[in-house]
Amino acid sequence: DIFYLLHNRGIKVEAKPFAIGVRIEHSQSLIDQIQYHGDDQNPYLPPASYSLVEQVDGLGVYSFCMCPGGIIAPCATDIEEVVTNGWSPSKRNNPYSNSGIVVSVSPQDLPNYKDNDPFVCLEFQKKVEYDCWVAAGKTQKVPAQRMTDFIAGKVSTDFPKTSYQPGLTAVDLNEVLPDMLASRLRKAFVAFGHKMKGYLTTEAVLHAPESRTSSPVKIPRDDFSLEHIEIKGIYPCAEGAGYAGGIISAAIDGINCMDRIIEKYN
Ligand SMILES: Cc1cc2nc3c(=O)[nH]c(=O)nc-3n(C[C@H](O)[C@H](O)[C@H](O)COP(=O)(O)OP(=O)(O)OC[C@H]3O[C@@H](n4cnc5c(N)ncnc54)[C@H](O)[C@@H]3O)c2cc1C
């Protein structure tokens, strides 16, 4: 709403690259076995994490916000959408391991790209979230599919237990997600299966979508004063304004903006 409010008042906002895909869940014991090469009962080793990246057809596909011993949470912020995100309790002691697996998207990559359209990425994000909401039955259930079924293009007949409390609806995500995402995710999962033996498994379940990796819109600011390039006294700051992705980078950006404001008034 803030982006549209600024735009409608003639204040410049811009489209910004972001990343979008799915959240995948394995059992934590499987990830421990893969990462610790079978030594998964070792009491001195913490629940294992992983980090994966692959270039697929010109775009990056990578793991994002991997949560060992974690939970997939419903994170919609509006009606008529589903959004997932992940988190881990401090002990990381849930039986599940989840991670976003997302495709890096620039405004120019999108089918509806128009020069100077600040909302091309935001509208793409919204459409994916809406389509997933419709596909899963217009509740907070998410459309889901076993990883191997996603690659084979068939709807899963059942699921292992999930940490996602609202529940799952079986669909073919290849028909729900835009092909530019689905086709790259399929190839990336095969490549990830080679990098981490056992990662590509029928026991892993895709939950869609993971769509809030970072903001799809940027509110431009002067590099030095950190004020909006047109309106003095507005400090576009942290994640929503397009200057951070995550807790620490958002906090540091907040400190930087406060430093500039203090300098200005001193
Ligand atoms: C489930 C979940 C798990 C996450 N896990 C991690 C993690 O493990 N590590 C990590 O680095 N990041 C994680 N994140 C992301 C992290 O929370 C964000 O990157 C970070 O909070 C962004 O900080 P921010 O200050 O930019 O925005 P926010 O923390 O969203 O703060 C924005 C504030 O502005 C307020 N606001 C909005 N609109 C208005 C308005 N019109 N008027 C007045 N106030 C308004 C909001 O209420 C909010 O308090 C997670 C996010 C979620 C949802």
Side-chain angles (χ1 to χ4, degrees):
D1 53 350
I2 294 290
F3 299 139
Y4 288 107
L5 181 144
L6 293 175
H7 182 67
N8 291 340
R9 295 193 179 185
I11 299 175
K12 192 168 172 54
V13 295
E14 299 169 352
K16 168 184 155 302
F18 76 121
I20 182 164
V22 296
R23 199 157 267 272
I24 190 140
E25 189 164 78
H26 294 77
S27 72
Q28 183 61 45
S29 64
L30 175 66
I31 298 299
D32 290 345
Q33 277 169 33
I34 298 171
Q35 297 297 68
Y36 296 141
H37 304 280
D39 192 15
D40 60 316
Q41 300 301 319
N42 187 324
Y44 299 104
L45 295 173
S49 63
Y50 61 83
S51 173
L52 292 162
V53 61
E54 189 70 27
Q55 281 290 319
V56 183
D57 299 336
L59 299 182
V61 184
Y62 60 94
S63 56
F64 165 80
C65 178
M66 194 271 147
C67 303
I71 289 167
I72 301 182
C75 290
T77 49
D78 208 343
I79 55 165
E80 301 192 346
E81 65 185 32
V82 283
V83 175
T84 65
N85 206 316
W87 66 282
S88 299
S90 59
K91 287 189 179 152
R92 300 185 161 187
N93 58 356
N94 268 288
Y96 310 100
S97 152
N98 74 69
S99 177
I101 300 289
V102 292
V103 181
S104 238
V105 173
S106 292
Q108 296 80 355
D109 301 323
L110 296 176
N112 294 338
Y113 173 71
K114 283 191 287 302
D115 223 6
N116 296 326
D117 175 3
F119 299 123
V120 62
C121 292
L122 183 71
E123 297 295 340
F124 182 79
Q125 178 193 53
K126 273 168 72 167
K127 179 159 179 359
V128 170
E129 293 170 356
Y130 176 80
D131 289 348
C132 287
W133 177 74
V134 171
K138 301 187 174 180
T139 65
Q140 282 305 299
K141 285 188 175 179
V142 284
Q145 195 167 17
R146 288 182 186 257
M147 196 197 262
T148 44
D149 290 338
F150 175 63
I151 290 169
K154 69 174 210 247
V155 177
S156 304
T157 48
D158 61 0
F159 291 116
K161 267 184 94 177
T162 171
S163 68
Y164 185 78
Q165 291 292 313
L168 312 180
T169 301
V171 301
D172 183 3
L173 285 171
N174 296 289
E175 290 171 8
V176 178
L177 298 173
D179 190 57
M180 65 171 289
L181 302 181
S183 62
R184 288 181 171 87
L185 289 171
R186 285 195 304 270
K187 290 182 185 172
F189 290 140
V190 173
F192 294 163
H194 292 306
K195 289 181 174 173
M196 264 178 80
K197 298 270 180 277
Y199 187 84
L200 173 53
T201 163
T202 192
E203 293 307 309
V205 177
L206 280 57
H207 300 55
E210 162 65 62
S211 49
R212 305 283 178 94
T213 52
S214 69
S215 180
V217 176
K218 180 173 175 178
I219 306 175
R221 68 187 186 189
D222 179 81
D223 285 344
F224 181 71
S225 74
L226 305 188
E227 290 171 292
H228 189 273
I229 55 172
E230 295 165 334
I231 312 287
K232 295 278 167 267
I234 288 187
Y235 290 81
C237 181
E239 186 158 320
Y243 296 95
I247 295 165
I248 299 294
S249 59
I252 290 172
D253 198 56
I255 293 170
N256 288 340
C257 286
M258 282 311 301
D259 283 347
R260 291 296 189 283
I261 293 169
I262 291 165
E263 280 166 20
K264 183 172 170 175
Y265 289 101
N266 279 344

